[in-house]
Amino acid sequence: MKKNFELPFYLFLPIIILIICFIIIWMNFYAANLKSQSIYAPGLYREQNLLYLDSEAQINDRVEDLLKQMTLLEKIGQMTLVEKNSIKDPFDVARYSLGGVMSGFGGKPFNNTPKDWYEMVNNYYQAGEYSRLGIPVLYGVDSVHGHSNVPGATVFPHFIGLGATKNPDLVKNIARVTAKEMAATGIYWNFAPNLDIPFDYRWGRVYETFGSDKDNVTTLGQAFINGFQYDKDNNFVALATAKHFVGNGQMTWGTAVNSDYRIDQGTTNISEAELRENHLAPFKGAVEANVGAVMIGLNTFDGKKLAANNYLITDVLKEELGFNGFVLSDWYGVYEISGSKYESAVIAINAGVDMVMLPFDYKIFIRDVAEAVEKGDISQTRIDDAARKILRAKIALGMFEKDFDSPSDFSSIGSAEHRDLARQAVRESLVIMKNNQETLPLKIENSSMLIAGSAANNMGRQTGAWTIEWQGVNGNVVEGTTILDGIKQLAPESSQIYFAENANFENSNLRAPIGIVVVGEKPYAEGVGDNPNPSLSDLDLETIEKMRGLVDKLVVIIVSGRPLDIKQYVDDWDAVVAAWLPGSEGIGCADILFGKYPALGTLPVEWEL
Ligand code: BGC
């Protein structure tokens, strides 16, 4: 019989060690090779005493000096904004002279901490040092209610709540704090403020707006831009983006091209006169406030995707309103213009788009645009004009002077001072819609109160979408106080508070003079939130019903991004409070419930009871 011949394991060890050594040597060689593939050694450009690097020189002189040294490909690179997850090799920033890198929501570092954000973003900035002229990228994020990508950051109420405050000073301070928390992670560019004016509340983006009153939207939009872009000494420190130009808030239900959506990214079926009358004012205000960038909507108007609309982008926005910053397209909007990527890019750039959010196919885009210039489909002047505007923003922001190696101080992120401001925003945003027989402020000394509801003790619900994840989170994974925490903290010591989410209290004999139920919408973003009938869920209604049977007076707090249809139930409730999507400082609700502050919020949208 043939005997099996087995080698002892230890004889393989040297081979395994050799393989590991080989892999390590190869990885080092690969990394070194990547660096040598970059066109220039890092910082080489700095040795040449160039005007564009002189921080004392005039911004325009620096821009022109830089522009005249750039190749066509480098200029096109500047017009390119790429989602970070589609960059497989960070050196592409240098290789293609990319203008911007961004995080779509979900574009977070592997470990989602402020420090990892800082390192991730600085990696891209440092990669810029390897490019021929050392032009830094801009890194953009959606910090639409605080730097809410990042755990531990202060999460402010969504804009709909800020719309209810009608307080421009508050909005200005919030924007300033947002810029500060972003800067701690090395980010100076925000895709905010949203200046859409919603007409159809079934749309999933109503809560991202300051509401339907265009004067209020204009005033708060300007306040946001001022606070975000300028520090207390009026230095230009960060770049805001007014979005979505224009008419995004008045699309027709059922026109969404995306089959999962109903109205979002659909068609704005109104006349030019209505478009101007209903939607232009906030953008005019933004231009007056010197906004650095404007993002073009994903909607269609006059049979064309907005990004293809030369008249609205060039004639109206740039010439008539005098917008002098750069125009940015939104997400895949440019490539939705036509089936051909080449043609789409040509149409959008000729329409006046300066920077294209691709977000993925940057190599194809750069190749196509270079070809279009060679063929005369896009003029060299148009490319120069676009690149000039982007470079001006970078130079004005001081991107060339920043030190991307220095350590950062993360202490401002979610600081007590910032959270106090968020708490103020929450209490000013609350709207008391009904208050029979002075149910509010709550009087519960020496007495008890029952609390229930799906949104009473759930951070995810109160922060809404664009918080950690694009579609938001569920449960208490965001730092701060839930509405329940806040009530417990501020309730008089002589009172007793009982909580059961579904109003199934352990002691079934429990009764109380007052009950609060906190209910509302689950988080949603963009078209995912398109809803033919925004209302309360059966579960929420059941909880309210149960609570009604246990208490003398019932307060219902609605946590939602838009008006909900509650007409048929409201007669049964003693008080109704619209809390919108209050963010991380739920305690601001208790400030109002207990009458610690006057209730100042007023409806930013129509909501009939
Ligand atoms: C949204 C924009 C957002 C962009 C980047 C798009 O889907 O429409 O508002 O700024 O994504 O995340």
Side-chain angles (χ1 to χ4, degrees):
M1 217 173 107
K2 213 169 156 193
K3 193 173 171 227
N4 265 345
F5 179 72
E6 282 181 8
L7 279 177
F9 173 70
Y10 61 81
L11 280 183
F12 284 108
L13 265 180
I15 300 173
I16 293 171
I17 291 170
L18 261 176
I19 292 174
I20 292 174
C21 287
F22 176 77
I23 291 175
I24 292 173
I25 291 168
W26 181 81
M27 279 170 70
N28 275 321
F29 172 77
Y30 179 73
N33 190 36
L34 273 185
K35 295 195 180 183
S36 72
Q37 270 181 44
S38 77
I39 326 169
Y40 287 87
L44 190 67
Y45 59 93
R46 292 201 186 276
E47 286 159 22
Q48 298 171 42
N49 210 9
L50 297 158
L51 176 63
Y52 73 87
L53 293 175
D54 178 0
S55 60
E56 303 291 311
Q58 292 293 317
I59 292 182
N60 282 347
D61 295 344
R62 293 177 69 184
V63 172
E64 293 311 317
D65 181 60
L66 178 52
L67 199 63
K68 75 173 184 247
Q69 305 188 48
M70 291 169 73
T71 63
L72 174 64
L73 283 177
E74 284 168 339
K75 290 173 189 170
I76 298 170
Q78 287 304 299
M79 298 167 66
T80 308
L81 174 61
V82 188
E83 213 293 319
K84 75 125 193 141
N85 286 338
S86 53
I87 302 182
K88 298 291 166 266
D89 175 0
F91 279 98
D92 274 2
V93 166
R95 222 174 262 129
Y96 295 95
S97 181
L98 298 181
V101 179
M102 61 173 283
S103 283
F105 252 77
K108 37 186 186 261
F110 184 71
N111 291 316
N112 195 359
T113 69
K115 182 167 167 287
D116 288 86
W117 269 91
Y118 185 68
E119 284 168 5
M120 173 181 88
V121 170
N122 274 329
N123 253 331
Y124 291 109
Y125 293 144
Q126 282 162 1
E129 298 271 307
Y130 286 84
S131 67
R132 191 175 69 93
L133 296 163
I135 308 174
V137 277
L138 279 173
Y139 199 98
V141 293
D142 290 275
S143 291
V144 297
H145 63 147
H147 194 13
S148 52
N149 270 293
V150 181
T154 313
V155 183
F156 292 97
H158 268 292
F159 271 19
I160 193 73
L162 301 186
T165 72
K166 308 205 165 65
N167 182 346
D169 288 336
L170 173 73
V171 169
K172 185 172 170 179
N173 290 336
I174 287 174
R176 191 159 282 157
V177 160
T178 303
K180 230 175 161 181
E181 295 203 8
M182 284 170 63
T185 59
I187 304 175
Y188 310 96
W189 185 20
N190 194 352
F191 306 137
N194 182 315
L195 302 180
D196 298 333
I197 303 202
F199 278 68
D200 189 331
Y201 300 151
R202 297 173 293 179
W203 184 34
R205 304 195 76 167
V206 172
Y207 67 88
E208 291 184 59
T209 76
F210 288 123
S212 299
D213 172 348
K214 71 176 174 190
D215 295 333
N216 190 38
V217 175
T218 305
T219 309
L220 299 186
Q222 288 190 316
F224 189 95
I225 292 162
N226 282 329
F228 189 80
Q229 293 198 148
Y230 301 95
D231 68 10
K232 287 204 171 86
D233 303 320
N234 217 23
N235 298 307
F236 183 59
V237 289
L239 188 74
T241 310
K243 69 186 188 184
H244 306 85
F245 188 79
V246 59
N248 217 36
Q250 204 173 353
M251 294 173 290
T252 304
W253 184 259
T255 59
V257 211
N258 181 332
S259 56
D260 295 331
Y261 297 178
R262 306 295 296 278
I263 181 170
D264 191 38
Q265 303 180 14
T267 299
T268 304
N269 261 324
I270 53 177
S271 67
E272 185 190 331
E274 283 171 292
L275 186 78
R276 283 173 171 274
E277 172 63 22
N278 299 345
H279 301 280
L280 210 54
F283 289 95
K284 187 164 182 286
V287 172
E288 282 162 13
N290 206 18
V291 72
V294 170
M295 189 190 289
I296 302 302
L298 292 168
N299 51 326
T300 294
F301 175 77
D302 202 14
K304 287 186 204 140
K305 289 292 286 187
L306 245 290
N309 199 313
N310 184 289
Y311 171 69
L312 289 174
I313 300 176
T314 299
D315 298 4
V316 177
L317 177 62
K318 293 190 178 180
E319 281 160 22
E320 189 181 319
L321 301 188
F323 175 58
N324 213 14
F326 66 89
V327 168
L328 172 71
S329 61
D330 187 7
W331 203 241
Y332 212 64
V334 163
Y335 283 156
E336 284 166 352
I337 291 175
S338 136
S340 145
K341 288 199 161 85
Y342 177 91
E343 193 182 49
S344 298
V346 169
I347 293 175
I349 292 170
N350 285 335
V353 173
D354 299 311
M355 189 187 254
V356 177
M357 190 189 289
L358 284 152
F360 319 112
D361 316 298
Y362 55 105
K363 296 177 193 169
I364 296 172
F365 170 78
I366 293 171
R367 187 201 62 200
D368 283 349
V369 178
E371 187 187 328
V373 177
E374 273 157 31
K375 285 188 180 157
D377 288 340
I378 300 176
S379 71
Q380 181 69 54
T381 322
R382 178 74 267 279
I383 300 289
D384 283 349
D385 173 48
R388 181 179 282 119
K389 287 178 166 150
I390 295 157
L391 295 172
R392 192 185 298 134
K394 292 183 176 182
I395 290 178
L397 260 181
M399 292 306 292
F400 284 85
E401 282 73 56
K402 291 200 194 298
D403 174 3
F404 303 125
D405 288 322
S406 63
S408 185
D409 173 8
F410 303 111
S411 61
S412 70
I413 296 180
S415 70
E417 193 193 334
H418 294 180
R419 289 183 186 277
D420 274 352
L421 181 67
R423 177 173 174 175
Q424 178 194 345
V426 176
R427 64 176 172 257
E428 290 192 25
S429 71
L430 251 54
V431 180
I432 298 187
M433 298 177 65
K434 175 176 179 182
N435 191 14
N436 272 1
Q437 295 164 346
E438 296 183 3
T439 305
L440 297 174
L442 300 168
K443 297 161 235 10
I444 56 166
E445 278 81 9
N446 301 312
S447 134
S448 59
M449 180 164 76
L450 310 189
I451 303 183
S454 55
N457 192 30
N458 189 326
M459 268 294 176
R461 284 288 192 97
Q462 69 188 52
T463 47
W466 302 98
T467 312
I468 314 290
E469 301 292 342
W470 180 44
Q471 295 293 331
V473 289
N474 188 22
N476 292 337
V477 293
V478 177
E479 281 173 41
T481 46
T482 64
I483 295 174
L484 175 70
D485 292 335
I487 294 173
K488 283 183 171 167
Q489 278 183 37
L490 295 196
E493 268 179 29
S494 62
S495 64
Q496 277 189 308
I497 310 281
Y498 299 90
F499 171 69
E501 185 169 316
N502 296 333
N504 295 326
F505 292 91
E506 250 172 55
N507 172 355
S508 55
N509 294 323
L510 206 57
R511 298 285 179 277
I514 297 245
I516 298 182
V517 185
V518 192
V519 285
E521 291 187 300
K522 287 185 178 155
Y524 51 79
E526 304 193 34
V528 176
D530 292 348
N531 181 346
N533 179 25
S535 49
L536 290 174
S537 69
D538 290 346
L539 188 67
D540 281 349
L541 289 170
E542 231 173 75
T543 308
I544 295 173
E545 193 58 36
K546 274 188 231 160
M547 183 67 104
R548 180 68 285 182
L550 304 179
V551 296
D552 301 333
K553 283 187 170 183
L554 174 67
V555 180
V556 176
I557 300 180
I558 308 237
V559 172
S560 72
R562 55 187 155 195
L564 301 187
D565 183 4
I566 48 173
K567 274 198 211 89
Q568 61 187 111
Y569 316 106
V570 83
D571 283 350
D572 218 21
W573 309 341
D574 299 284
V576 182
V577 180
W580 315 110
L581 298 165
S584 58
E585 306 315 301
I587 191 168
C589 296
D591 283 336
I592 296 301
L593 296 174
F594 289 112
K596 307 254 178 229
Y597 290 85
L600 300 173
T602 53
L603 288 177
V605 280
E606 279 173 35
W607 189 345
E608 274 175 43
L609 289 191

